[in-house]
């Protein structure tokens, strides 16, 4: 991919990808050590998608994310302390400790709320895109969803309506090859998920979801077209989740070690480092400094979460009813 990216952007892309990986791996460690009781779906391996897309989004834009959504939340600028506190169920969390890992929301960063219902990000983001269109804010909405979502009814209804209304909606399909343990080719009629776009007369694009340069370039073009009012675009990003569907899932029940090793070789962080050091655009020391910063932020986030109080019992009904 021949895209040239300025140094400040390169540093920002790497900083976010490293922070996501550090967050997810720390979350796993805390759970495995028994210090954190939670349920979690890690984003490790898919960082290039969140970071490459969200680099083009601003405060006027919306994002609807799934239960595998920590990566997009961090890419959109969510505070890692508040996110970790949410996962620990503490009052200082993004949702005051009431949502946990699978419901992280922060309207200040355009995060409409993580959603566990497969496919549900699509109508949610379509609604947000409709509001941006009607209010003429210039904003766009991005729905993130997995390969499992493309066979859901809401996927088809959502794409059709978005196309009919020419909504400024980017449909980002993170095709990590599995829906839980079901391989995509076992459950889906088309070989390339992007081919579904044609049924709704919308452009379908593909970016390498394990290469942030590819995602950054293709998503950038797509989002410019959305802002120009061209209507919705489908973007398929083939990628891979390095770990199981959830923390504790044994992947060897449904995929081989060889397949996992193949995708580890294509790790977006490793490919980024190799490329920028080889072409001289960044020094390894600059990358190492960002690696260290990521780890330090995670130490701080875990300390903050552990030191924060749980939500007070008298607040149990808060936010349940509109005032
Ligand atoms: C409507 C609905 N059906 C089934 C489930 C159970 N479920 C949770 S995650 C998941 C797999 C989804 O896979 P995919 O869309 O590929 O996303 P990934 O987990 O790979 O990111 C399923 C079937 C659900 N949450 N919602
Ligand atoms: Mg999947």
């Amino acid at each position: 991919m021949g895209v040239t990216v300025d140094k400040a952007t390169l540093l920002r892309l790497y900083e976010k990808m490293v922070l996501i990986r550090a967050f997810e791996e720390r979350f796993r460690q805390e759970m495995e050590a028994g210090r954190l009781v939670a349920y979690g779906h890690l984003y490790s391996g898919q960082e290039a998608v969140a970071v490459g897309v969200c680099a083009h989004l601003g405060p006027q834009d919306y994002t609807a994310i799934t239960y595998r959504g920590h990566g997009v939340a961090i890419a959109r600028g969510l505070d890692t302390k508040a996110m970790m506190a949410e996962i620990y169920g503490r009052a200082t969390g993004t949702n005051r400790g009431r949502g946990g890992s699978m419901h992280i929301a922060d309207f200040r960063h355009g995060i409409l709320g993580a959603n566990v219902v497969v496919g549900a990000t699509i109508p949610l983001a379509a609604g947000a895109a409709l509001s941006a269109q009607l209010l003429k804010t210039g904003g766009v909405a991005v729905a993130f969803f997995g390969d499992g979502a493309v066979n859901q009814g809401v996927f088809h209804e959502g794409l059709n309506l978005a196309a009919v209304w020419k909504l400024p909606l980017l449909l980002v399909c993170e095709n990590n090859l599995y829906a839980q343990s079901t391989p995509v080719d076992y459950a889906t009629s088309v070989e390339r998920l992007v081919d579904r776009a044609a049924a709704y007369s919308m452009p379908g694009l593909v970016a390498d979801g394990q290469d942030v340069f590819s995602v950054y370039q293709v998503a950038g073009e797509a989002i410019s077209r959305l802002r120009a009012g061209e209507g919705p675009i489908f973007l398929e990003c083939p990628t891979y989740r390095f770990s199981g569907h959830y923390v504790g899932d044994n992947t060897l029940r449904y995929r081989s070690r060889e397949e996992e090793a193949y995708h580890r070789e294509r790790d977006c962080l490793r490919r980024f480092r190799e490329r920028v050091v080889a072409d001289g655009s960044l020094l390894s020391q600059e990358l190492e400094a960002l690696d260290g910063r990521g780890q330090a932020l995670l130490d701080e986030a875990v300390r903050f979460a552990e030191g924060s109080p749980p939500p007070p019992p008298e607040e149990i009904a808060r936010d349940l009813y509109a005032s």
Side-chain angles (χ1 to χ4, degrees), residues 46 67-68 146-148 174-180 241:
Q46 303 186 197
Y67 49 85
R68 201 178 300 290
D147 44 285
E174 299 193 69
N175 180 2
N176 61 14
L177 307 182
Y178 296 90
Q180 296 191 320
R241 60 166 154 74

Side-chain angles (χ1 to χ4, degrees), residues 51-65:
V51 172
V53 171
C54 295
H56 302 284
L57 301 179
Q60 75 281 29
D61 302 318
Y62 299 103
T63 1
I65 60 176

Side-chain angles (χ1 to χ4, degrees), residues 118-265:
V118 172
T121 54
I122 295 167
L124 265 180
L130 178 62
S131 83
Q133 185 189 59
L134 292 175
L135 298 171
K136 298 188 173 41
T137 62
V140 304
V142 183
F144 287 87
F145 54 91
D147 44 285
V150 305
N151 300 319
Q152 290 292 108
V154 285
F155 169 89
H156 299 279
E157 296 168 43
L159 264 67
N160 185 58
L161 204 53
V164 169
W165 286 342
K166 289 207 174 331
L167 298 180
L169 175 66
L170 183 64
L171 296 138
V172 178
C173 179
E174 299 193 69
N175 180 2
N176 61 14
L177 307 182
Y178 296 90
Q180 296 191 320
S181 55
T182 305
V184 62
D185 56 3
Y186 176 87
T188 307
S189 60
V190 286
E191 205 168 300
R192 297 174 349 131
L193 305 186
V194 68
D195 290 342
R196 290 270 165 94
Y200 303 99
S201 301
M202 71 172 72
L205 308 175
V206 180
D208 180 347
Q210 291 174 293
D211 177 3
V212 76
F213 292 99
S214 171
V215 180
Y216 181 78
Q217 180 179 27
V218 179
E221 287 163 14
I223 291 168
S224 305
R225 288 169 69 177
L226 296 187
R227 294 202 201 282
E230 286 186 30
I233 296 179
F234 187 97
L235 170 60
E236 179 185 352
C237 297
T239 180
Y240 202 73
R241 60 166 154 74
F242 284 166
S243 44
H245 174 65
Y246 55 89
V247 178
D249 176 28
N250 174 12
T251 57
L252 297 179
R253 288 182 302 116
Y254 55 88
R255 60 188 207 189
S256 67
R257 274 187 215 286
E258 293 71 34
E259 181 186 298
E260 296 191 349
Y262 170 79
H263 287 284
R264 286 253 177 210
E265 281 293 307

Side-chain angles (χ1 to χ4, degrees), residues 26 29-37 88 90 302 306:
R26 186 63 183 267
Q29 282 166 19
E30 296 302 312
M31 275 185 72
E32 287 177 351
R35 288 187 290 267
L36 169 60
V37 179
Y88 271 78
R90 304 303 161 101
V302 170
E306 285 178 340

Side-chain angles (χ1 to χ4, degrees), residues 2-29:
V3 59
T4 44
V5 182
D6 64 71
K7 183 166 177 177
T9 306
L10 284 177
L11 288 168
R12 197 157 45 93
L13 295 175
Y14 186 72
E15 178 188 11
K16 293 279 190 201
M17 289 200 296
V18 158
L19 187 56
I20 296 170
R21 181 71 55 89
F23 191 95
E24 297 297 62
E25 294 310 315
R26 186 63 183 267
F27 174 27
R28 180 214 302 277
Q29 282 166 19

